[in-house]
């Protein structure tokens, strides 16, 4: 079981990877589509499995994320395991722009 699943859209990949790097540097385990999902596999099944098996899901929240067709099912799968929020299963990090221009 991984500590975190990073849920993001293609437009926010740089943010998602930066978040994943920070977590891994802090010795947490991470599942992120860009690093862990192989081409040709069942994308929907991989997302469902990652969201339900990780201890926590981090939604990289941006305007693009809110418009995405696939973002809601990802965080819904995690939310279903902790609908009251007591365990802190679903966490959102609001982002805007490119992390390279925002983080020093």
């Amino acid at each position: 079981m991984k500590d975190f699943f990073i849920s993001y859209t293609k437009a926010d990949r740089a943010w998602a990877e930066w978040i994943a790097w920070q977590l891994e540097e802090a010795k947490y385990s991470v599942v992120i589509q860009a690093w862990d999902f192989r081409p040709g596999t069942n994308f929907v099944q991989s997302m469902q499995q990652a969201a339900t098996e990780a201890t926590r899901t981090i939604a990289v929240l941006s305007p693009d994320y809110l418009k995405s067709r696939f973002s809601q099912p990802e965080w819904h799968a995690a939310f279903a395991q902790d609908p009251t929020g007591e365990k802190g299963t679903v966490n959102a990090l609001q982002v805007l722009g490119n992390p390279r221009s925002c983080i020093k």
Side-chain angles (χ1 to χ4, degrees):
M1 179 177 279
K2 299 284 186 168
D3 295 312
F4 291 95
F5 166 57
I6 311 294
S7 173
Y8 67 98
T9 64
K10 181 179 178 181
D12 301 317
R13 179 177 173 168
W15 276 112
E17 289 183 331
W18 182 84
I19 293 164
W21 286 321
Q22 301 308 306
L23 291 168
E24 287 191 344
E25 282 185 18
K27 306 296 184 217
Y28 291 102
S29 57
V30 175
V31 177
I32 180 171
Q33 178 187 352
W35 302 347
D36 299 306
F37 295 2
R38 295 180 182 171
T41 60
N42 185 326
F43 169 79
V44 174
Q45 181 181 1
S46 296
M47 288 294 187
Q48 174 76 17
Q49 183 176 352
T52 57
E53 291 181 1
T55 304
R56 289 185 169 78
T57 293
I58 295 177
V60 181
L61 191 60
S62 71
D64 290 304
Y65 188 85
L66 295 174
K67 294 176 197 170
S68 171
R69 293 183 333 182
F70 294 105
S71 63
Q72 284 188 0
E74 291 174 21
W75 66 263
H76 282 189
F79 177 80
Q81 296 177 31
D82 182 25
T84 63
E86 291 177 27
K87 299 176 190 172
T89 302
V90 179
N91 302 275
L93 292 175
Q94 186 176 0
V95 300
L96 189 61
N98 186 313
R100 290 168 188 82
S101 63
C102 302
I103 301 169
K104 305 213 185 244

